[in-house]
């Protein structure tokens, strides 16, 4: 008969940004009899996950599991909603595209979608049809989160949340305090290993001015410095510079507040530019390749920069060594083209909770975390590589090597209009399809398209039009709804 393992007695999380605080909440709830200690200081600007004002829809599900209320994010952390991302300049021929979340397109319309969005057929004005209900709503500026306890015309809409990072972190801190998470402020001054080889991991860490802290499990959320993981003798990196061209990232001053359901990722003469709408202001980030002068980059940014961050992309070969597990920027470093830093960190956190060890860590737990976490990181690398394989990006940033299966994905997409399955990808197949179209790749026609039933296609079009009309009738004007939610909160 198997006997239960001795549970963890203390978990120490290093990194006090929004990622570290959420990780502390997660471990405290998963292990209520285990002491959870959060250690750290204000994160550096290079810790993109800690300063991200948004994430992908997976984070909504993680918030639900951890008791982080969506309403509180809206009312207390400057929360707002995103339905789509607009891509401009990537195709190299002036075409723009839109990517929404989820598998929101009717399968019977996918043949038409491939043909229409591939440039085979457009309306008389040269406009592509809407690719999803999310785009229909975003174009019309209409949305409110659907009620969870009833079926509505917009119940299947998937969305992302945005927030003010400082206010969101404060909201998480309130939750962490309520759960009795212990906090020690300060930097890690010394790491003491369990053995000379370091294979067992860390015995204790010394905090400047605070003394030594021992733990059974250490979670590294320290950002790209990887304070704990990089101290392991077995630590090694896998370089990504051959496939990811960004060498410097400039973060701009927060601009005028923008209430919108879309964000934008554009490609200009010097590099890429992301714009994330927020109730507290517009967040702007510029990424450029090697050899771009600072003055020229600031001109492309269009505002004063709050930070200029040098990028050396890559990932940890093993993000869990001994009793040290790294998540987020401590495990992978790459350009912030979209909210993939925080999405990756949250999916790694969820995986770490799934692999939750006892005080004695089994090698199979580490191995499975390293396998799946590595697939997650490589999945992000491949999605980013899709961007830089586009015609516009190759002209601006040069030709880059295609990592992993991206060459096969693009080939299958262009010849057959299909996306091969990939484990632990950050994007669903339909999202990847829409992304490739938005980047200027032309989808081929799947075999079914050569023997399609015109009547079935017309019925599918009519059903999509009816669903679009129902969604537009049901969803209120987004700005109007947001004001109605915020005004009562301001009076209380």
């Amino acid at each position: 008969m198997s006997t239960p393992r001795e549970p963890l007695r203390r978990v120490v999380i290093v990194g006090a940004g929004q990622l570290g605080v959420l990780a502390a909440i997660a471990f405290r709830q998963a292990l209520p009899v285990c002491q959870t200690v959060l250690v750290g200081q204000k994160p550096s600007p290079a810790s993109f996950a800690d300063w991200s004002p948004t994430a992908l829809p997976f984070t909504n599900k993680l918030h639900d599991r951890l008791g982080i209320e969506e309403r509180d994010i809206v009312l207390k952390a400057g929360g707002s909603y995103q339905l789509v991302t607009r891509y401009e300049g990537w195709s190299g021929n002036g075409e723009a595209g839109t990517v929404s979340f989820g598998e929101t397109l009717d399968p019977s319309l996918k043949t038409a979608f491939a043909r229409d969005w591939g440039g085979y057929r457009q309306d008389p004005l040269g406009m592509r049809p809407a690719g999803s209900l999310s785009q229909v709503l975003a174009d019309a500026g209409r949305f409110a989160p659907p009620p969870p306890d009833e079926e509505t015309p917009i119940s299947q809409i998937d969305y992302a949340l945005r927030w003010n990072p400082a206010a969101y972190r404060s909201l998480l801190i309130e939750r962490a305090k309520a759960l009795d998470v212990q906090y020690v402020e300060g930097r890690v001054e010394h790491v003491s290993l369990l053995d000379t080889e370091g294979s067992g991991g860390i015995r204790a860490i010394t905090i400047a001015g605070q003394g030594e802290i021992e733990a059974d499990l250490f979670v590294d959320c320290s950002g790209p410095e990887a304070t704990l993981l990089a101290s392991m003798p077995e630590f090694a990196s896998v370089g990504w510079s051959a496939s990811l061209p960004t060498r410097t990232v400039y973060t701009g001053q927060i601009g005028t507040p923008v209430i919108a359901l879309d964000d934008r990722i554009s490609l200009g003469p010097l590099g890429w530019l992301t714009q994330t709408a927020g109730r507290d202001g517009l967040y702007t980030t510029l990424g450029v390749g090697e050899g771009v002068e600072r003055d020229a980059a600031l001109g492309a940014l269009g505002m004063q920069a709050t930070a200029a961050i040098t990028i050396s992309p890559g990932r940890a070969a093993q993000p869990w060594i001994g009793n040290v597990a790294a998540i987020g920027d401590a495990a992978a470093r790459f350009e912030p083209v979209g909210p993939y830093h925080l999405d990756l960190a949250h999916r790694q956190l969820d995986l770490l909770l799934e692999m939750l060890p006892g005080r004695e860590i089994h090698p199979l737990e580490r191995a499975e975390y390293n396998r799946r976490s590595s697939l997650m990181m490589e999945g992000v690398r491949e999605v980013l590589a899709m961007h830089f394989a586009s015609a516009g990006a190759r002209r601006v940033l040069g030709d880059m090597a295609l990592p992993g299966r991206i060459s096969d994905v693009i080939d299958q997409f262009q010849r057959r209009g299909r996306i091969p399955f990939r484990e632990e990808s950050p994007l669903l197949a339909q999202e990847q399809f829409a992304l490739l179209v938005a980047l200027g790749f032309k989808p081929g026609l799947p075999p079914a398209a050569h023997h399609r039933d015109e009547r079935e296609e017309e019925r599918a079009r009519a059903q999509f039009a009816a669903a679009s009309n129902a969604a537009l009738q049901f969803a209120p004007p987004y700005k109007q709804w947001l004001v109605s939610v915020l005004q009562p909160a301001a009076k209380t």
Side-chain angles (χ1 to χ4, degrees):
M1 178 180 293
S2 63
T3 57
R5 290 185 296 175
E6 183 180 357
L8 295 167
R9 298 171 302 174
R10 179 185 290 158
V11 175
V12 168
I13 294 113
V14 172
Q18 60 182 2
L19 173 58
V21 181
L22 189 69
I25 292 170
F27 275 94
R28 184 61 179 159
Q29 292 188 176
L31 299 166
V33 298
C34 173
Q35 186 182 32
T36 302
V37 181
L38 178 64
V39 174
Q41 296 175 308
K42 182 179 178 181
S44 75
S47 187
F48 294 121
D50 281 316
W51 294 107
S52 176
T54 185
L56 294 178
F58 175 84
T59 292
N60 302 341
K61 302 174 181 65
L62 183 61
H63 282 158
D64 287 343
R65 284 182 53 193
L66 300 181
I68 310 300
E69 297 289 340
E70 190 171 300
R71 178 179 176 84
D72 286 340
I73 294 175
V74 173
L75 297 180
K76 299 179 181 180
S80 62
Y81 292 85
Q82 182 205 357
L83 297 184
V84 300
T85 303
R86 315 277 189 186
Y87 280 80
E88 300 171 352
W90 295 86
S91 68
N93 58 13
E95 291 183 0
T98 303
V99 178
S100 57
F101 303 114
E103 295 276 10
T104 55
L105 190 70
D106 189 313
S108 58
L109 268 177
K110 286 186 178 179
T111 295
F113 183 84
R115 186 176 57 252
D116 295 346
W117 281 69
Y120 295 95
R121 183 171 68 191
Q122 296 178 336
D123 70 17
L125 298 178
M127 301 295 290
R128 288 170 170 164
S132 67
L133 291 181
S134 296
Q135 185 179 346
V136 170
L137 292 172
D139 290 346
R142 304 183 74 90
F143 183 69
D149 53 353
E150 63 179 277
E151 186 66 24
T152 74
I154 62 171
S155 292
Q156 302 306 311
I157 299 294
D158 216 351
Y159 55 82
L161 276 173
R162 313 183 189 98
W163 51 75
N164 175 289
Y168 172 73
R169 178 175 177 270
S170 296
L171 176 66
L172 296 181
I173 289 173
E174 288 181 16
R175 176 71 175 163
K177 287 180 177 178
L179 292 170
D180 199 27
V181 170
Q182 307 300 304
Y183 175 57
V184 178
E185 184 173 1
R187 63 179 177 82
V188 176
E189 195 173 52
H190 180 70
V191 174
S192 300
L193 302 179
L194 280 167
D195 53 63
T196 55
E197 291 79 20
S199 58
I202 293 175
R203 179 187 63 80
I205 58 175
T206 302
I207 310 304
Q210 302 285 354
E212 194 175 75
I213 301 177
E214 296 183 349
D216 299 319
L217 178 69
F218 292 86
V219 182
D220 194 343
C221 302
S222 64
E225 301 86 7
T227 303
L228 302 186
L229 191 69
S231 69
M232 299 282 88
E234 295 179 36
F235 174 76
S237 292
V238 177
W240 287 352
S241 294
S243 55
L244 302 183
T246 306
R247 296 296 176 259
T248 308
V249 171
Y250 294 86
T251 56
Q253 291 182 332
I254 299 177
T256 304
V258 175
I259 305 300
L261 292 164
D262 57 348
D263 289 341
R264 297 180 182 274
I265 301 179
S266 56
L267 183 72
L270 298 182
W272 52 263
L273 186 79
T274 67
Q275 295 174 301
T276 302
R279 282 167 43 201
D280 59 323
L282 182 69
Y283 292 79
T284 304
T285 304
L286 171 74
V288 298
E290 199 166 4
V292 176
E293 297 292 336
R294 178 183 176 88
D295 288 346
L298 292 178
L301 183 64
M303 63 187 70
Q304 291 293 319
T306 59
I309 302 149
T310 301
I311 296 288
S312 179
R315 68 168 177 89
Q318 296 182 81
W320 187 349
I321 300 173
N323 63 351
V324 181
I327 63 176
D329 295 69
R333 308 171 308 281
F334 51 90
E335 41 268 270
V337 183
Y340 296 108
H341 285 86
L342 198 52
D343 174 73
L344 171 64
H346 287 170
R347 289 188 294 125
Q348 288 176 320
L349 173 59
D350 185 66
L351 175 61
L352 190 55
L353 294 174
E354 183 182 331
M355 298 288 106
L356 198 61
R359 190 179 176 200
E360 181 181 349
I361 300 171
H362 196 287
L364 290 177
E365 293 165 335
R366 275 193 298 265
E368 180 63 3
Y369 179 83
N370 285 331
R371 184 187 74 85
R372 291 176 58 186
S373 182
S374 295
L375 285 173
M376 290 177 184
M377 293 185 285
E378 290 296 337
V380 172
R381 179 192 186 190
E382 291 181 7
V383 167
L384 294 176
M386 289 181 184
H387 292 72
F388 301 120
S390 67
R394 292 201 312 272
R395 186 172 62 233
V396 172
L397 297 165
D399 290 328
M400 307 300 295
L402 296 180
R405 296 176 57 200
I406 287 303
S407 179
D408 292 337
V409 170
I410 293 175
D411 174 71
Q412 288 293 303
F413 175 81
Q414 291 180 320
R415 290 199 296 120
R416 300 183 179 182
R418 65 182 294 267
I419 301 293
F421 171 76
R422 190 197 190 284
E423 187 181 2
E424 304 293 357
S425 173
L427 299 181
L428 298 172
Q430 187 62 51
E431 293 169 338
Q432 294 177 62
F433 189 107
L435 173 61
L436 286 171
V437 171
L439 294 172
F441 294 95
K442 304 300 183 184
L445 290 177
H450 300 290
H451 306 283
R452 67 184 186 276
D453 186 331
E454 293 281 358
R455 292 171 299 177
E456 181 180 350
E457 187 176 304
E458 289 306 316
R459 283 195 297 269
R461 286 183 180 278
Q463 290 171 358
F464 183 77
S468 298
N469 289 332
L472 290 171
Q473 290 295 319
F474 179 84
Y478 175 58
K479 291 183 181 179
Q480 177 181 311
W481 170 83
L482 194 57
V483 169
S484 71
V485 170
L486 297 176
Q487 281 182 337
K491 296 176 182 178
T492 57

